[in-house]
Amino acid sequence: MKYKDIKKLTGILLLSVGLSSCQVFNRYTAPKIDTENLFRDREETDTTSIANIPWREYFRDPALQSLIEEALLNNYDMQIALERVKQAEATLGMARAAYFPDLTLSGQFEQTRLSSSDPLTGTARERNTLAYHKETYTLGLVTTWELDLWGRMNRDSRAKYAQMLNSYAGQYLVKTTLISNLANTYYSLLALDEQLRVTQNMIELMKENLITTIALRDAGMTTGAAVKQTEAALYGAQASVSDLENNIRQLENSISTLLGRKPGPIQRTLLNQQAVPTELAYGIPVQMLAKRPDVQQAELAFRAAFELTNVARASFYPSIKLTTGLLGYTTVNGLSQFFKPEHLFASIIGGLTQPIFARRQLITQLEIAKADQRAALFTFEKTVLSASEEVSGILSTFELSLRKIQSRNLQVESLEQAVYFTQELLKAGEANYLEVLTAQQSLLNAKLTQINDKLEQLQATSDLYRALGGGVE
């Protein structure tokens, strides 16, 4: 291969690289969102947000911390999300590899034998043995390369990059959701434990009341109907214990599944050891949009759709491909001097393709890409509104639940006194058994509701932490 040929080949390759930098499309810009009043009836000046607190500091219960750590390691949804990330990274690597030529090592052997009776050769071939038998040996590097003149492959790579980031956000979404769901289920389990304890205490109180009622009946101060009514109330409370114990086992099984382990008991603390904050810092909407994984996913989906629309546009322009590039050695009839310089050769076959009759198909593809882009934008805007609705709703639930604390405490205190007074009056014969049963049932319901109030507050703290994008670190 002559020096001037190598020089021409180098020039063609450098020109190709220069042309491949041509871009005819605008760069991506994130969609604009009006963040004013995204949080209903909220001052949006304080940038302090609970979402910036690491989950180990936000959830202080050591038993819950241990469960969260185990879940993040073994939860199947987390492992699936991790594999999705690896898949997206591999897809991006494949898209970026399109920038570079495919390079393969090719070795060929060709043998040609012609009949001596061929009328086209005649006696000339009989005088030349090479005309009858020809062997060609070729060894070299073969390359195929498409020049990215209009940025089609570049835009496709950017779309794959956005999709990879989307998979990261998806992994973060699984993580924040897992932490929140586990915390909520854990709090529910503690609440059931407390409800079981309160119910069992009330059962003991009902048993004492039944003994008193029987004694009053024997003394002729009440009737057998009173005894049966008191027994029925006791049996009803005892039956509810089985339901509570079953619900406890079901929640333990649910937590075990979140942990990626077989169903079994869950180590935990007590509900009264869980502190409820008096207020929750929610920051400003921009912080939520920046940290919340599902909002990030929606924006990245729009970004990928934007890039794929440009890929569809680039399909209208001609493509130039270096369909075959071969650099190597070739020789005829023998390998003894195969690697001598005079046997070095190179060949390049290029091609330009301009769509003509496929234009209707290309237009349709572009229209589909544009529709996908618009749909992705609407999805992003909807996701933002849904996020703001969720945050606003959780804040309202939390604050209104806090308002009930004092009234609920006073209600329970009054009913405890009512139960005590009615029991004393019953013993003195100045009250009937229905007053006692009503007071006891009201107290039980009030205490169970008090437990639900605290559960609502604890779950609101967990829900808001997730809704603001907490737990991503």
Side-chain angles (χ1 to χ4, degrees), residues 55-65 67-68 178-196 247-248 251-252 254-255 258 266-277 280 398 448 450-466:
W55 67 262
R56 290 178 180 83
E57 298 177 16
Y58 189 76
F59 298 101
R60 297 296 185 88
D61 187 325
L64 178 56
Q65 288 178 342
L67 294 175
I68 292 175
L178 174 61
I179 291 174
S180 177
N181 288 346
L182 183 55
N184 286 344
T185 309
Y186 179 80
Y187 292 144
S188 296
L189 184 58
L190 300 187
L192 286 176
D193 288 341
E194 185 65 15
Q195 288 181 347
L196 179 60
N247 291 336
I248 288 172
L251 281 185
E252 286 181 327
S254 297
I255 291 178
L258 290 176
I266 298 298
Q267 184 178 1
R268 52 191 182 272
T269 56
L270 301 175
L271 184 67
N272 58 19
Q273 295 177 322
Q274 309 301 315
V276 177
L280 296 173
F398 177 74
L448 295 179
Q450 187 180 45
I451 294 171
N452 287 333
D453 289 343
K454 185 167 185 178
L455 173 62
E456 183 180 59
Q457 295 152 18
L458 289 171
Q459 289 184 337
T461 63
S462 174
D463 289 338
L464 185 63
Y465 185 67
R466 173 194 53 77

Side-chain angles (χ1 to χ4, degrees), residues 128-337:
N128 189 350
T129 58
L130 290 179
Y132 290 95
H133 183 194
K134 179 180 180 181
E135 294 181 348
T136 304
Y137 301 87
T138 303
L139 177 66
L141 298 176
V142 180
T143 182
T144 302
W145 193 10
E146 179 178 355
L147 308 183
D148 193 22
L149 293 179
W150 317 112
R152 183 182 63 81
M153 290 186 294
N154 182 25
R155 293 296 180 162
D156 184 64
S157 176
R158 292 183 183 184
K160 295 297 189 298
Y161 179 69
Q163 292 168 356
M164 184 191 70
L165 295 181
N166 193 308
S167 69
Y168 288 149
Q171 183 185 19
Y172 299 148
L173 179 60
V174 171
K175 180 180 179 181
T176 59
T177 303
L178 174 61
I179 291 174
S180 177
N181 288 346
L182 183 55
N184 286 344
T185 309
Y186 179 80
Y187 292 144
S188 296
L189 184 58
L190 300 187
L192 286 176
D193 288 341
E194 185 65 15
Q195 288 181 347
L196 179 60
R197 185 189 66 80
V198 167
T199 302
Q200 289 172 335
N201 290 340
M202 183 57 67
I203 288 173
E204 295 303 316
L205 189 62
M206 287 179 172
K207 288 180 179 179
E208 294 177 6
N209 185 49
L210 177 60
I211 294 173
T212 301
T213 305
I214 292 174
L216 290 173
R217 181 201 61 185
D218 293 342
M221 298 175 63
T222 188
T223 65
V227 175
K228 293 304 179 182
Q229 287 279 10
T230 304
E231 286 179 346
L234 174 61
Y235 296 149
Q238 289 175 334
S240 67
V241 169
S242 297
D243 292 334
L244 288 172
E245 290 176 340
N246 180 60
N247 291 336
I248 288 172
R249 292 177 67 87
Q250 296 300 328
L251 281 185
E252 286 181 327
N253 293 343
S254 297
I255 291 178
S256 297
T257 300
L258 290 176
L259 300 178
R261 64 161 88 154
K262 297 176 181 178
I266 298 298
Q267 184 178 1
R268 52 191 182 272
T269 56
L270 301 175
L271 184 67
N272 58 19
Q273 295 177 322
Q274 309 301 315
V276 177
T278 56
E279 61 178 321
L280 296 173
Y282 49 85
I284 58 178
V286 172
Q287 292 173 301
M288 178 199 70
L289 299 180
K291 291 185 68 69
R292 191 169 157 130
D294 60 338
V295 174
Q296 295 176 11
Q297 279 191 301
E299 192 271 331
L300 288 166
F302 171 74
R303 179 177 175 180
F306 171 86
E307 300 295 356
L308 290 176
T309 300
N310 286 328
V311 170
R313 285 196 181 99
S315 298
F316 287 87
Y317 296 89
S319 61
I320 298 179
K321 292 184 179 180
L322 182 66
T323 56
T324 302
L326 181 62
L327 176 65
Y329 293 87
T330 183
T331 185
V332 178
N333 290 343
L335 292 173
S336 59
Q337 298 181 333

Side-chain angles (χ1 to χ4, degrees), residues 38-40 42 387-397 464:
L38 271 183
F39 299 158
R40 180 176 176 178
R42 305 288 164 182
S388 67
E389 176 192 2
E390 184 178 21
V391 172
S392 299
I394 294 172
L395 286 171
S396 177
T397 298
L464 185 63

Side-chain angles (χ1 to χ4, degrees), residues 22-37:
C22 297
Q23 299 293 323
V24 295
F25 308 118
N26 296 327
R27 288 188 174 274
Y28 170 77
T29 56
K32 302 297 182 182
I33 290 293
D34 181 11
T35 60
E36 186 177 359
N37 298 323

Side-chain angles (χ1 to χ4, degrees), residues 367-425:
E367 291 174 348
I368 293 174
K370 287 181 177 180
D372 287 341
Q373 182 179 336
R374 290 191 296 269
L377 178 59
F378 294 145
T379 300
F380 171 68
E381 293 173 346
K382 177 184 176 182
T383 304
V384 171
L385 286 180
S386 298
S388 67
E389 176 192 2
E390 184 178 21
V391 172
S392 299
I394 294 172
L395 286 171
S396 177
T397 298
F398 177 74
E399 293 174 354
L400 293 176
S401 183
L402 289 181
R403 292 183 189 178
K404 297 186 290 185
I405 292 178
Q406 184 178 3
S407 299
R408 191 72 70 194
N409 290 339
L410 292 174
Q411 180 191 22
V412 170
E413 182 180 347
S414 297
L415 287 172
E416 286 175 339
Q417 293 176 353
V419 169
Y420 173 76
F421 291 147
T422 54
Q423 284 180 320
E424 293 300 313
L425 289 172

